[in-house]
Structures are given as structure tokens and as C-alpha cells.
Amino acid sequence: MVTLFITSFLLLAGITYVIYLWQRPRSNQDPDLLLPPPPRPAGLFEDKALDEQLPVGKEMAGENWRRALMERAAAGDRETLPEARAVGDEALYDEVLDRLVERADSDKSLLALTSYIARSDARLRTNALLAEKFTEGWGQAPDRNSTAKMLHVAALSGDAGVYRRAIETAYQFWRDRRLTEISADELRQLIESEFWILAPAVRNSGAGFVLKRKLAQIRRQLVAAATKTVMSD
């Protein structure tokens, strides 16, 4: 009797345990019921610090690059010009070119620099300092060939004011009879032809308007001088 009672109790307990296992939610087996992983512990200012570090890193890299570029330009590396041009920063380009001009300590090295700019495929330009230095060298012994180069260097600056000063200087030298190798008609043709190197936007600007007025004035005087020479001959 006791044996039968124990057997019945164990059988009932086994059935109850099986029913419990069958009815219990199987959350540990169903991936859809898994809880999301706990969030990654982070400090209060962690994300902000990371966001602030990136711009600072870029800024520092940019400053280091500019500093190295200036050092190379000061050493006479002309390849810094197309690199500065590629950035699209006109102020940076002028600063690099100024360093190269300051490095050019002779007319020969200055001519080499202007030749590099004129022959480059990177659409390089001159600037006010280079045109001024080149004009100073030209003034020591002006002739037909150097006058054409001086005007071309000024026009390559893309600056109407720079070119206006160049044609005023050339005309003043011619009027003072310091350009005896070039006629009034030749000087007029040179001045007019180099004018078209300037970009349309420059020619049509306010400074371009002043330039065109000065150009028209000099043209009239040169034409009158050329006519007078023909009549006297």
C-alpha cells in the first residue's frame, strides 16, 4: 500500500513538472524576446568632447600645412604656387607668391619666376608685388622686348589697378624719350593687346572702368603722336 502511494506521488510530481516546463515562456530561446543589450557606459561630456576634437584636429592639420607651405615658398620652391592655387584661397596664393618674390634676389631669378607662372598649366597669375618688382627692373634699361614683358606681367595679375599703373609707367617712359626703340603706334598696340588678357569681370568692374578711361586717354595721345610723326615725314 505504501509503495503504491509513493509511486502515485512521484508520478503526479513528474506530470506537474512537465506541464510547468511546457507552459513556461521560452524567452531564453526566442531571439525576438531577447532584451536589448545594456547601453555602453559613457561620461556626461564624452560625445561633446569627441565632436570638439575633430574640428580642432582639422584646424591644426590645416595650420601645419600652411606653415610648411610658407616655409617652402620662403626657400624658393615654386611648386608651392599651384598647390596654393588649388586651394582656391586668393589671399593664401598672394602670400605664397610674395614669399617667392622676396626670395628672388636678382633680375634673373625674378624673370625665372615670371616665366614659370606664364608657362604653367595651373592657370597661375602674378600679383601687385611681382609686377612692381618687375617694373623696377624694367626701368633700369627699358627696350621693346622688356616693355612687352613688363606689360604682360602686369596683365597676368588679373588686377585692373596693377595694369593701369603699368601702362601709365610705360607711357611716361615713352613720353620722356626713355623708350626710343619703340614707336607710338607699337606702344599703343602693346597696351591694347595685353588689356584683353584681363578677365571680362575685371574689365567690366569699377576698377576696369577707370582703366579703360586711362587706356582711351593714352591711346588718343599715342595716335596723335603717330599721326604727327607721319605728317612730319
Side-chain angles (χ1 to χ4, degrees), residues 50 80 91 107 114 124 128 134 140 175 214 221-222 229 233:
L50 288 175
T80 53
D107 291 341
T114 55
L124 303 181
F134 199 92
Q140 301 301 317
R175 193 175 63 176
K214 175 57 65 175
Q221 293 169 339
L222 290 174
T229 300
D233 291 342

Side-chain angles (χ1 to χ4, degrees), residues 31-104:
D32 294 335
L33 298 178
L34 293 177
L35 294 176
R40 179 176 59 88
L44 180 61
F45 301 104
E46 181 177 349
D47 292 339
K48 182 178 180 181
L50 288 175
D51 291 340
E52 291 177 349
Q53 287 174 7
L54 289 177
V56 171
K58 292 179 181 178
E59 181 179 351
M60 287 299 297
E63 288 299 323
N64 291 337
W65 177 81
R66 286 171 178 258
R67 188 179 303 110
L69 192 72
M70 291 303 166
E71 291 175 355
R72 289 168 52 203
D77 185 357
R78 293 194 294 263
E79 293 300 321
T80 53
L81 279 177
E83 293 180 31
R85 183 68 169 176
V87 174
D89 187 335
E90 296 297 328
L92 174 64
Y93 180 88
D94 280 332
E95 191 175 354
V96 169
L97 183 51
D98 285 349
R99 295 287 181 91
L100 290 170
V101 172
E102 293 167 358
R103 173 73 177 182

Side-chain angles (χ1 to χ4, degrees), residues 7-23:
T7 302
S8 300
F9 176 79
L10 292 177
L11 181 61
L12 180 61
I15 294 173
T16 302
Y17 182 71
V18 170
I19 293 174
Y20 167 75
L21 291 179
W22 181 74
Q23 291 182 343

Side-chain angles (χ1 to χ4, degrees), residues 117-138:
I117 293 173
R119 297 174 182 175
S120 174
D121 295 330
R123 300 178 65 84
L124 303 181
R125 61 171 177 81
T126 62
N127 67 357
L129 181 60
L130 178 53
E132 178 184 345
K133 292 291 185 181
F134 199 92
T135 301
E136 289 177 3
W138 163 83

